[in-house]
Amino acid sequence: SQDLGYRNEIERARGDLERARRLLSDHEAAGRGWFWETDARGNLSHVPHSVANVLRAVREELVSRPLTSILLQDSARDEQDGRTLAFHMSTRSAFSDLSVRAAVEGEERWWSISGTPIFNDFGRFEGFRGSGTDLTEIRKSQHELSKLAQFDQLTGLFNRVRMKALLEQSLTTPMGKPNVCALFLLDLDRFKSVNDTLGHPAGDALLRQVAKRLEH
C-alpha cells in the first residue's frame, strides 16, 4: 500500500511538471512573454527559442553564456534610479521592468526584463530567475509621440512648444538668474502670393526648402 501511494505521488509530480512545461511553452509560443534563468555565476541556464531567434543564434549556443552578453551594456540601466543590470546581478537584488536593448547588429530590439535571486533551503545563492517581454513597438510608439509633440510635421523643425521651452532655458542660467540671449524672427516675403497663385502644395514645398537651408 505504501509502495502504491509512493508511485502515485511520483506520477502526480511528473504530471504537474509536464503540465507546467506545457503552460510555459504555450505562454512563450503565444508571444505574451518569455522566461529566463541563470546559474550562480550569471550564466544562462534557460533561454527560450524566441530570444535565440531575435539574437540570430542557436538556443544551445546561448546556454552557459552570461546574461549580460546578450545585451548592450549601455542600455541596461533603470531609468528611475539609474541602477544597472550589472549592479543587481552583483548585489543579488531583485529588479523589475528593466528596459534593456538586445545585442543585435543592425537592428534595434528592446526588452523589459524582471528578475529575482534564487536561494536554496540552506540560504545558498543559486542564480536568478525572471521573465521578459518585447518593448520594441512600444518604444517606437513613444519615440513617434515624442516627435509629434516637439517637431513640426511639415518641415521637421522644432515646433512652437519646443521652441518656447528652449527659449525659457536660454533665458535662465543654471543658477536661476536671468541670462542674455537673442531671438531672431524670420519672415518670408510674398509667401501668401505663392499659396494664392501656385497652391498650398507649392507653399509647403517652399517651406520645406527654407527649412533645409536654415538647417545648413
Side-chain angles (χ1 to χ4, degrees), residues 92-140:
R92 300 173 182 176
S93 58
F95 54 93
S96 179
D97 298 326
L98 187 65
S99 296
V100 296
R101 184 175 173 181
V104 185
E105 187 176 351
E107 182 182 0
E108 189 168 330
R109 292 296 294 266
W110 287 88
W111 293 324
S112 172
I113 62 173
S114 301
T116 305
I118 309 166
F119 298 91
N120 62 19
D121 294 338
F122 301 100
R124 182 178 178 180
F125 175 68
E126 295 188 331
F128 273 86
R129 183 179 296 135
S131 61
T133 54
D134 195 290
L135 276 183
T136 306
E137 293 304 319
I138 294 176
R139 288 188 72 96
K140 285 182 179 178

Side-chain angles (χ1 to χ4, degrees), residues 116-176:
T116 305
I118 309 166
F119 298 91
N120 62 19
D121 294 338
F122 301 100
R124 182 178 178 180
F125 175 68
E126 295 188 331
F128 273 86
R129 183 179 296 135
S131 61
T133 54
D134 195 290
L135 276 183
T136 306
E137 293 304 319
I138 294 176
R139 288 188 72 96
K140 285 182 179 178
S141 297
Q142 290 174 341
H143 177 74
E144 289 301 319
L145 287 174
S146 176
K147 189 174 180 180
L148 287 172
Q150 299 186 64
F151 291 85
D152 176 67
Q153 296 306 295
L154 176 64
T155 62
L157 300 177
F158 286 146
N159 63 14
R160 186 171 301 184
V161 173
R162 181 60 174 160
M163 287 298 296
K164 182 175 182 293
L166 288 173
L167 182 59
E168 290 175 350
Q169 292 174 14
S170 300
L171 289 171
T172 308
T173 65
M175 301 300 293

Side-chain angles (χ1 to χ4, degrees), residues 4 27 54 56 70 83 145 182 191 196 212:
L4 180 60
H27 180 82
V54 169
R56 300 164 190 163
I70 68 173
R83 291 178 175 177
L145 287 174
F191 178 67
D196 292 343
K212 286 181 180 180

